[in-house]
């Protein structure tokens, strides 16, 4: 039976665990190579319900949750996630908020919002005040470690599934990039939008050169052409890049000042934020307000099973990165995952309380590292 929001419900426990899950093949982008991803799961218990949150980070996040956040939240009202969020900000002051501490707060905040919705027996999208029925997505992968056949097959698969936009990685071997982009365009045809992501691999003038080359293949989105810390360089690319090609960055932001500075510098055409890094649902909704004030779109980065829910509550929502690795991991970790719907969207289930996900602990256990 649903509880009344007027009655405080004390948090009983906060627990975290970590799982390192191998990729299905070696992966790389413009600046990094990897063969596994660590998934950190958080559970918050209160009033006979359990809320679940998660992040993609290192095992030290488990220690931050257990040693810093759990005690702060114990006994506090589970029905007030923003108040708990504020408490967590103070708790990590001496740890340094960006990075692991922000990822820990993100996972707990997601769990708190899920818990609140379950306690009140309402879908998460209703708790968040959704203004959209669904969140548009783009298929994302196209790793630089892929040969042309693998690249074409992956991107074409998303296009054939009705996802009208796809993204690939560039920048590891710049001389090979045009050939890879040409292969991608030939695989998806002319009606599917093509995005590229350099993960900060290029220098300013190099990025400008490649932007004009990519424009010949209809590339509409150039993500992190230079380092996301180079706000002047991003701004220059916005000013001098090809017409119709948006410059995007923001996935490595961990708190509000980062996003404010990026927007104030005129560094992007579309801002990105990651709900599992940027201080959770509460943090992303505040970032969305910064975008709303400027009439700028927000694109959510990865973690599709929670981002697909949060995106419905973002006024100036552009789309969500439907990322190959996270699709696999979240499908392994949860029952009740959202699948792409016609038109390339994720549509949350409004008949289930919370975010509707159930943890498959038995399936995860063999990957547990903390």
């Amino acid at each position: 039976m649903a509880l009344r929001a007027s009655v405080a419900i004390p948090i009983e426990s906060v627990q975290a665990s970590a799982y390192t899950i191998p990729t299905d093949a070696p992966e790389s982008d413009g600046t990094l190579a990897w063969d596994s991803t660590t998934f950190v799961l958080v559970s918050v218990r209160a009033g006979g319900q359990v809320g679940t949150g998660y992040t993609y980070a290192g095992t030290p996040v488990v220690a931050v949750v257990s040693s810093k956040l759990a005690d702060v939240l114990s006994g506090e009202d589970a029905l007030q996630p923003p108040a708990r969020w504020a408490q967590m900000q103070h708790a990590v002051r001496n740890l340094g908020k960006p990075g692991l501490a922000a990822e820990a707060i993100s996972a707990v905040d997601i769990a708190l919002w899920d818990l609140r919705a379950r306690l009140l027996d309402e879908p998460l999208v209703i708790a968040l005040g959704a203004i959209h029925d669904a969140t548009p997505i783009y298929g994302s992968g196209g790793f630089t470690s892929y040969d042309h056949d693998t690249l074409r097959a992956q991107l074409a698969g998303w296009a054939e599934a009705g996802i009208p936009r796809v993204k690939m990685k560039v920048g590891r071997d710049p001389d090979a990039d045009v050939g890879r982009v040409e292969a991608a365009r030939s695989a998806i045809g002319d009606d599917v939008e093509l995005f590229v992501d350099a993960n900060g691999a290029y220098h300013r003038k190099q990025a400008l050169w490649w932007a004009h080359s990519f424009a010949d293949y209809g590339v509409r989105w150039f993500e992190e052409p230079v380092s996301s810390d180079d706000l002047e360089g991003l701004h220059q690319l916005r000013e001098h890049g090809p017409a119709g090609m948006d410059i995007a960055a923001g996935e490595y932001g961990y708190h509000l000042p980062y996003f404010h500075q990026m927007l104030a510098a005129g560094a992007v055409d579309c801002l990105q934020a990651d709900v599992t890094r940027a201080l959770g649902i509460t943090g992303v909704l505040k970032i969305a307000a910064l975008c709303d004030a400027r009439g700028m779109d927000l694109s959510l980065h990865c973690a599709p099973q929670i981002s697909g829910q949060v995106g419905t509550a973002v006024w100036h929502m552009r789309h969500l990165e439907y990322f190959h690795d996270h699709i696999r991991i979240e499908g392994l970790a949860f029952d009740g995952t959202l699948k792409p719907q016609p038109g390339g969207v994720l549509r949350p289930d409004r008949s289930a309380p919370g975010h509707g996900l159930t943890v498959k602990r038995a399936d995860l256990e063999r990957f547990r590292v903390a």
Side-chain angles (χ1 to χ4, degrees):
M1 184 174 71
L3 299 171
R4 290 184 300 152
S6 60
V7 178
I9 303 175
I11 293 170
E12 300 161 13
S13 65
V14 181
Q15 298 178 319
S17 50
Y19 309 86
T20 296
I21 301 170
T23 58
D24 56 2
E27 295 176 356
S28 64
D29 57 30
T31 54
L32 189 68
W34 64 96
D35 60 11
S36 65
T37 300
T38 298
F39 172 76
V40 179
L41 189 68
V42 168
S43 299
V44 182
R45 186 178 300 273
Q49 297 287 344
V50 178
T52 302
Y54 61 95
T55 187
Y56 293 92
T59 55
V61 166
V62 174
V64 175
V65 172
S66 301
S67 67
K68 284 291 181 183
L69 304 182
D71 288 345
V72 169
L73 298 177
S74 179
E76 299 288 348
D77 187 6
L79 295 176
Q80 298 185 72
R84 306 291 75 81
W85 182 87
Q87 286 179 290
M88 290 190 287
Q89 307 303 303
H90 295 299
V92 301
R93 186 193 70 180
N94 290 346
L95 293 181
K97 191 187 304 178
L100 292 170
E103 290 162 341
I105 291 171
S106 297
V108 176
D109 183 76
I110 293 166
L112 285 167
W113 276 103
D114 180 45
L115 176 59
R116 180 190 187 278
R118 291 175 189 267
L119 287 167
L120 299 177
D121 195 28
E122 64 183 10
L124 179 60
V125 292
I126 299 301
L128 297 179
I131 54 177
H132 310 294
D133 291 331
T135 300
I137 61 174
Y138 63 88
S140 173
F143 304 109
T144 58
S145 50
Y146 285 177
D147 61 26
H148 283 201
D149 288 342
T150 305
L151 173 67
R152 281 191 288 255
Q154 185 185 70
L155 301 188
W158 280 318
E160 291 164 4
I163 298 175
R165 53 195 82 82
V166 298
K167 188 176 81 177
M168 59 181 288
K169 302 291 191 180
V170 296
R172 177 160 291 270
D173 179 6
D175 291 339
D177 282 341
V178 168
R180 295 179 65 253
V181 169
E182 182 178 22
R185 174 54 73 193
S186 69
I188 63 175
D190 294 333
D191 295 331
V192 174
E193 291 186 59
L194 180 59
F195 302 168
V196 298
D197 181 0
N199 291 96
Y202 298 127
H203 300 298
R204 293 180 187 180
K205 288 189 176 181
Q206 185 184 29
L208 185 60
W209 172 273
W210 290 115
H212 285 281
S213 297
F214 297 152
D216 292 339
Y217 298 93
V219 170
R220 302 287 300 278
W221 169 279
F222 198 170
E223 184 175 329
E224 284 194 314
V226 297
S227 169
S228 55
D229 294 325
D230 183 6
L231 300 183
E232 183 179 352
L234 290 168
H235 177 75
Q236 287 180 6
L237 284 159
R238 276 193 75 198
E239 292 292 304
H240 303 293
M245 180 183 289
D246 281 351
I247 301 300
E251 69 181 74
Y252 295 109
Y254 293 99
H255 60 170
L256 281 173
Y258 173 98
F259 296 98
H260 169 70
Q261 290 161 12
M262 184 167 279
L263 291 170
V268 293
D269 295 296
C270 181
L271 188 67
Q272 294 177 283
D274 187 323
V275 70
T276 70
R277 291 176 181 162
L279 302 176
I281 293 172
T282 305
V284 164
L285 293 180
K286 293 177 185 296
I287 295 161
L290 293 178
C291 290
D292 293 343
R294 293 167 171 81
M296 176 174 285
D297 285 352
L298 179 65
S299 178
L300 295 182
H301 175 261
C302 297
Q305 294 308 317
I306 191 62
S307 298
Q309 308 259 350
V310 177
T312 64
V314 174
W315 181 20
H316 288 87
M317 181 69 195
R318 172 87 58 101
H319 43 44
L320 157 66
E321 183 168 2
Y322 194 61
F323 182 53
H324 174 71
D325 287 354
H326 294 186
I327 298 165
R328 290 181 58 246
I329 291 170
E330 292 169 17
L332 170 70
F334 301 117
D335 282 322
T337 54
L338 305 176
K339 308 300 182 187
Q341 300 296 307
V345 300
L346 293 183
R347 180 168 285 106
D349 179 5
R350 294 185 176 225
S351 68
H355 51 44
L357 300 172
T358 303
V359 181
K360 298 191 288 188
R361 293 193 180 275
D363 292 348
L364 278 173
E365 192 57 32
R366 63 194 171 106
F367 301 110
R368 185 163 180 161
V369 292

